[in-house]
Amino acid sequence: MGDLMAGARYLGRGQKWVLGNGRWFGFGLLPALVTLVLYAAALTLLAFRADDLAVWATPFADDWSSPWNGLLRGTFTVLLFAGGLLSAVLTFTAVTLLVGDPFYESLSQKVEETEGGAPEGPDVPLLRSLWISLRDSLYVLVRALALGAPLFVLGFVPVVGQTVVPVVGFAVSGFFLTLELTSVALQRRDVPVRERLRLLRGRKALAVGFGAPLVLVFLVPLAAVLLMPGAVAGATLLARDLTDGSRPDGADDGRDGGRPRPGYPGVGPHLP
């Protein structure tokens, strides 16, 4: 429970930072707004075609008597749209970060400067950086979908599918959302995506505490746009403490004496 609350505090600190730096708040809105328009169009199309897709996917139910065929296809339609919505939540951040890579890199670096300095990132050309971001996002997405697909199937199970599965789904989505958001700061430290995943697996509750509230709020389209700059700022603060060997509340836990962790160039303890 402590790590869950700590993750939520990072989210609050990030929103507080951008609200206190209004120019950066507006700067970070632009990529999210562009992505929102694209996703809104895609989800609208899915909503209009979901019934047809349900009929196409369940031809075996054509001869079923009423109300069973309608019940099956209605459930399929709801789950299909819910799956599309959760997929949009999972990929919204990745696409927004890709579209706004230069925006969020500058925002994240500014956050670090106000917190005591940012490490120099690897000298990588813009196109190469975009390719790395796309490759890493696909790596994360494949793993998220590998967990999401069984949850989609379990959604058909009575009772469990309407109670336990949505909760687990939000937790899984929150974890991977945090993985995406921290990538901006962790790429600057030259931490590969597999190592990022290992870091957050070691602090699952912290990652879920940060990402799950965002998943819930991101279901409201405009909220996703408004909270995205603060989410990047909060994820930057979280990434700093993870790689500095600090506790979630920002206090040194004494495990490595505040020394920089090996393998993360430029990472060290917070300056006073």
Side-chain angles (χ1 to χ4, degrees):
M1 182 61 71
D3 266 3
L4 285 172
M5 296 303 297
R9 284 197 295 272
Y10 277 115
L11 182 58
R13 287 173 60 194
Q15 301 303 325
K16 183 179 178 180
W17 190 93
V18 294
L19 290 176
N21 297 268
R23 182 173 71 88
W24 289 97
F25 175 70
F27 187 73
L29 287 179
L30 297 177
L33 187 59
V34 171
T35 308
L36 175 66
V37 172
L38 296 175
Y39 272 75
L43 287 172
T44 300
L45 179 62
L46 177 62
F48 278 108
R49 299 301 302 273
D51 289 340
D52 294 336
L53 288 172
V55 172
W56 172 81
T58 57
F60 54 85
D62 287 343
D63 298 328
W64 288 14
S65 60
S66 181
W68 303 115
N69 60 348
L71 183 62
L72 173 68
R73 287 171 173 168
T75 301
F76 184 91
T77 299
V78 171
L79 290 174
L80 179 64
F81 188 76
L85 199 58
L86 283 177
S87 296
V89 171
L90 279 173
T91 59
F92 178 86
T93 300
V95 174
T96 303
L97 291 176
L98 188 63
V99 170
D101 185 75
F103 292 81
Y104 293 127
E105 174 61 33
S106 298
L107 171 63
S108 177
Q109 187 165 357
K110 184 64 177 178
V111 172
E112 297 222 53
E113 289 173 358
T114 63
E115 291 294 308
E120 287 189 17
D123 186 13
V124 179
L126 177 60
L127 289 180
R128 171 69 177 168
S129 176
L130 291 174
W131 163 247
I132 292 172
S133 296
L134 176 60
R135 182 194 63 194
D136 290 353
S137 294
L138 290 174
Y139 177 90
V140 173
L141 180 61
V142 167
R143 277 148 185 80
L145 292 178
L147 291 174
L151 291 174
F152 178 81
V153 174
L154 288 172
F156 287 94
V157 178
V159 182
V160 173
Q162 292 74 49
T163 54
V164 177
V165 171
V167 173
V168 176
F170 278 118
V172 170
S173 300
F175 177 87
F176 284 104
L177 185 58
T178 301
L179 181 60
E180 283 286 357
L181 286 165
T182 53
S183 68
V184 179
L186 294 177
Q187 279 180 3
R188 188 181 303 114
R189 288 161 170 77
D190 206 19
V191 181
V193 64
R194 289 176 177 82
E195 181 65 11
R196 292 175 225 155
L197 184 58
R198 187 196 66 80
L199 276 171
L200 290 178
R201 275 178 176 167
R203 306 299 296 273
K204 289 188 183 72
L206 180 67
V208 171
F210 181 87
L214 278 174
V215 173
L216 288 170
V217 176
F218 277 17
L219 294 176
V220 181
L222 186 58
V225 175
L226 294 175
L227 294 183
M228 191 65 183
V232 172
T236 299
L237 297 171
L238 189 154
R240 282 176 64 87
D241 286 345
L242 274 178
T243 52
D244 286 358
S246 302
R247 286 183 5 196
D249 57 6
D252 187 3
D253 63 5
R255 285 176 295 181
D256 48 13
R259 294 187 300 275
R261 285 190 175 186
Y264 303 145
V267 177
H270 292 309
L271 300 177

